[in-house]
Amino acid sequence: MKKNIFYSPIFALFFVLISVFSGCASVPSDSSYIEKKQPEKKLQYDDWKYMGFGHQIPLWVEPAINGNIAKVKKAVEELSDAEILVLSARGVNIDQAEEALQELEIPENYTVYDSFWVRQSSSSDKPYIAVAIYKEDVK
């Protein structure tokens, strides 16, 4: 009985060592094997609101940053017939960009429809951009 208990860990260790040293036969061991890598695509934005939760950048953000109101209206169907105002501001961090956006003068008959922030990967001076869509109140 003691021999069976003693030998079972040895056999288990033997099988583990065999599997470790057997290696993978599908990858050549010589230097002629070169792994093919595709070049990484440089993203325009490397951080954004809710990125950590797996959310993507809304379709309206990039046209809004570029000031293209027609594309913003096309991206958000609800705004297609509305009168909108798109504003953006930059900052060295998120708080500064959003604060600069809030300091911009907005007509009284407009309310915030949606807002977002992104960090532009190529910009070093003020990489954070806060952008907001303001929709005219219909009376």
Side-chain angles (χ1 to χ4, degrees), residues 56-126:
Q56 297 297 318
I57 299 174
L59 296 174
W60 63 266
V61 172
E62 192 167 349
I65 290 172
N66 296 330
N68 191 334
I69 293 176
K71 283 190 177 181
V72 172
K73 287 183 173 186
K74 189 175 182 179
V76 184
E77 287 184 31
E78 186 179 327
L79 299 176
S80 62
D81 294 331
E83 197 61 40
I84 63 170
L85 178 65
V86 177
L87 299 175
S88 64
R90 292 183 166 268
V92 295
N93 57 36
I94 300 164
D95 295 331
Q96 188 181 49
E98 288 181 337
E99 186 176 312
L101 183 63
Q102 290 176 355
E103 290 177 359
L104 296 175
E105 195 170 321
I106 302 152
E108 288 183 28
N109 56 335
Y110 282 82
T111 56
V112 177
Y113 174 79
D114 201 358
S115 65
F116 206 77
W117 63 264
V118 293
R119 182 176 68 195
Q120 198 167 24
S121 55
S122 63
S123 177
S124 60
D125 185 27
K126 292 184 177 182

